[in-house]
C-alpha cells in the first residue's frame, strides 16, 4: 500500500503520521512498518543523551495501523475510528532512533459500532510493545484531510 493510500485511509498527517508502509493486509489483520528517524522532534526531550521512542507513540502507531485496517469496512464511510479504550499495555523493549518497527494489528471482535483489536509492535524479531484497544466510529468533518479521497 502506497503512502498516498495510507493518507487516503486515515486523516493523520506528518508530523503525527506514524505509519510509513503497509506490508500485508486482510479483512481482519494488518502488518505495517514505521521507521523512527533520528530527527524526530520528541527525541530531543525524551531522555536527552539516550533518546528512546515514547511508549505512548508506539501505542499511537498501533492505533493508526488499526484505523487503516478498519478503513476498508463499508460502514466506515464518512466516519473515523476513534480510540475509546486501551488496555493490557506491556512495554518489553526500547525503540531507539533509526529503528524500524513492525506493527501487527488484528481485529478480534466487533459489536455494533465498536471494534476490539490487539496489537504487537516489534523491532526485528524482538517485541517492543503489546496492547489491546477498542474503537468506535465518529463522524468526520467534511473538510478533514483524506475525507475527499476515501470517506
Amino acid at each position: 500500500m502506497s503512502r498516498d493510500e495510507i493518507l487516503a485511509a486515515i486523516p493523520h498527517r506528518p508530523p503525527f503520521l506514524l505509519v510509513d508502509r503497509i506490508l500485508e493486509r486482510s479483512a481482519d489483520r494488518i502488518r505495517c512498518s514505521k521507521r523512527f528517524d533520528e530527527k524526530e522532534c520528541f527525541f530531543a526531550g525524551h531522555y536527552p543523551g539516550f533518546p528512546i521512542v515514547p511508549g505512548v507513540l508506539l501505542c499511537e502507531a498501533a492505533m493508526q495501523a488499526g484505523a487503516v485496517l478498519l478503513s476498508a469496512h463499508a460502514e466506515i464511510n464518512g466516519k473515523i475510528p476513534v480510540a475509546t479504550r486501551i488496555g493490557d499495555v506491556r512495554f518489553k523493549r526500547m525503540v531507539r532512533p533509526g529503528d524500524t518497527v513492525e506493527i501487527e494489528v488484528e481485529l478480534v471482535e466487533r459489536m455494533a459500532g465498536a471494534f476490539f483489536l490487539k496489537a504487537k509492535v516489534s523491532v526485528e524479531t524482538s517485541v517492543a510493545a503489546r496492547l489491546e484497544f477498542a474503537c468506535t466510529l465518529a463522524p468526520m468533518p467534511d473538510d478533514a484531510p483524506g475525507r475527499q479521497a476515501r470517506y
Side-chain angles (χ1 to χ4, degrees):
M1 182 177 230
S2 73
R3 184 171 176 94
D4 287 341
E5 289 172 301
I6 293 167
L7 293 173
I10 61 176
H12 301 81
R13 296 294 181 263
F16 207 67
L17 179 62
L18 300 175
V19 175
D20 290 338
R21 292 183 41 209
I22 304 303
L23 306 172
E24 182 182 334
R25 182 179 183 179
S26 68
D28 62 352
R29 187 174 170 279
I30 195 165
R31 190 170 59 90
C32 56
S33 66
K34 162 68 177 160
R35 182 182 181 281
F36 287 98
D37 189 270
E38 297 83 2
K39 294 180 174 129
E40 306 271 5
C41 64
F42 51 82
F43 285 134
H46 199 251
Y47 301 111
F50 190 74
I52 61 174
V53 175
V56 68
L57 292 183
L58 298 177
C59 294
E60 176 64 24
M63 290 187 281
Q64 287 184 20
V68 173
L69 173 65
L70 296 178
S71 72
H73 292 255
E75 65 279 0
I76 299 292
N77 194 21
K79 298 180 181 175
I80 182 164
V82 177
T84 57
R85 181 179 78 193
I86 187 169
D88 200 21
V89 180
R90 297 171 190 240
F91 300 107
K92 301 184 171 271
R93 178 196 194 283
M94 288 184 282
V95 178
R96 307 284 323 276
D99 283 346
T100 297
V101 295
E102 187 172 292
I103 307 155
E104 294 179 51
V105 179
E106 180 184 350
L107 176 59
V108 176
E109 185 177 4
R110 183 174 155 198
M111 280 197 253
F115 298 85
F116 300 88
L117 304 104
K118 67 179 180 179
K120 176 176 75 170
V121 181
S122 304
V123 177
E124 296 172 1
T125 60
S126 181
V127 175
R130 288 185 187 276
L131 62 138
E132 296 176 359
F133 61 101
C135 298
T136 191
L137 302 178
M140 196 163 155
D142 290 336
D143 61 349
R147 182 177 177 114
Q148 312 82 293
R150 169 72 176 97
Y151 296 96

